[in-house]
Structure formats: structure tokens, C-alpha cells
Amino acid sequence: MSDQCVFCGIVNGVVPNTKVAEDDATYAFMDINPASDGHLLVIPKRHSTDLLEIPADDLTAVTLSAQRIAKAVVEELGADGVNLLNCCGADAWQTVFHFHIHVIPRYRDKTKDRLGLPWKPGVPGDAETISTIGGRLSSVLS
Ligand code: 5GP
Ligand code: ZN
């Protein structure tokens, strides 16, 4: 728990929010700047800064909660799809440094959906660079 952390404030009931679900380890609430109708955030109750720091049990609990909520946005809101998003680090768009997974319902009806892909799918990369980087990662992971 950090006194400065807005999401710890949400877990502790100090910061007003629209709660969607809660269990022993996780808390889910609506995002105040939604990318689509129903955009919400799932967080661990225990403070962790980001994906690199969160303990495995909290990560598991948050992920399972996100899956449960993803099913609900499809069934209850009629979403046509769902994106789960985690931003880890300021250069990866993280702005609140308490781990969270965005659950973003997606709609064919674009009046409900303002999210766009930030890169161009289908543009091939340099084959040698892909192979070199893959090899470096494989050597530290295997
Ligand atoms: P990030 O950019 O760190 O991945 O996402 C942070 C998210 O938290 C943003 O989508 C932002 O709208 C949301 N957010 C920031 N402050 C608050 C708040 O006080 N209440 C709620 N409900 N959402 C917040
Ligand atoms: Zn926190």
C-alpha cells in the first residue's frame, strides 16, 4: 500500500469509483476515461508497481478475474470482442503505477468503441533482426 497511489485509494474506499467486482485478492472498477463502453480495470488489492514486480499469486488472481469479467462484458453488454491490455513502464503507456489489466470491450458499432490499433498489422519486419532478437531471448529463457 502506498499513500500516494490512487488505485490503493480505490481499494481502501478513499477514492470514489464505480466498483464492478471484488474478491479476496482483486478489485475491478470502471475506467474514468473509457476507450469503449464498459472499459474497466482489474487490480490486485496488494500494491505492486507493474508486471515485472507483481507476485505470481496476485498475477494469477487478476488474470482469472479479468477472464471472468471479459465473459460478462460479452454476455451482458453484448460486446463483439474484448481486448486485455497491460502497460508496463512509462514508455509502454503506463500512467498509474499500481499493476492493472484493462478489460476493453470491443464493438462493431464504432459509436461505442474509440480504440484503434497503434501499429500496422501485416507489415513484415526485417527477417535477420527478428531472428537475432529471437535468438538472444531464447538463449536466456531456455
Ligand atoms: P495505464 O495508462 O496506466 O495503463 O492506465 C491507467 C488507467 O487508469 C487509465 O485508463 C485512466 O483513465 C485510469 N484512471 C486513472 N486515474 C483513475 C481514477 O482515479 N479512477 C478511475 N476509475 N480510473 C482512473
Ligand atoms: Zn497501489
Side-chain angles (χ1 to χ4, degrees):
M1 157 72 185
S2 152
D3 287 346
Q4 309 300 320
C5 175
V6 64
F7 287 179
C8 283
I10 284 175
V11 170
N12 293 323
V14 176
V15 175
N17 66 95
T18 302
K19 179 175 127 178
V20 169
E22 181 177 13
D23 60 26
D24 287 351
T26 72
Y27 190 96
F29 58 101
M30 303 304 290
D31 197 297
I32 39 165
N33 307 306
S36 70
D37 289 4
H39 179 178
L40 55 91
L41 303 168
V42 189
I43 64 176
K45 287 184 171 174
R46 217 166 15 158
H47 182 92
S48 284
T49 302
D50 61 23
L51 178 67
L52 304 185
E53 183 186 286
I54 186 170
D57 55 350
D58 278 348
L59 179 60
T60 302
V62 172
T63 305
L64 291 175
S65 175
Q67 185 197 37
R68 180 169 165 255
I69 292 166
K71 288 178 182 171
V73 303
V74 170
E75 282 161 24
E76 176 60 28
L77 303 183
D80 301 301
V82 186
N83 283 113
L84 298 188
L85 173 70
N86 169 253
C87 303
C88 179
D91 290 313
W93 306 332
Q94 187 173 5
T95 58
V96 176
F97 291 85
H98 178 131
F99 179 85
H100 50 282
I101 295 178
H102 297 255
V103 179
I104 309 174
R106 305 303 311 278
Y107 305 92
R108 270 169 238 137
D109 176 357
K110 293 305 167 198
T111 62
K112 298 190 204 175
D113 188 331
R114 296 160 291 284
L115 191 65
L117 253 190
W119 78 91
K120 274 199 180 138
V123 178
D126 175 67
E128 197 177 317
T129 306
I130 293 169
S131 170
T132 304
I133 294 174
R136 283 175 59 197
L137 290 174
S138 166
S139 69
V140 294
L141 291 170
S142 50

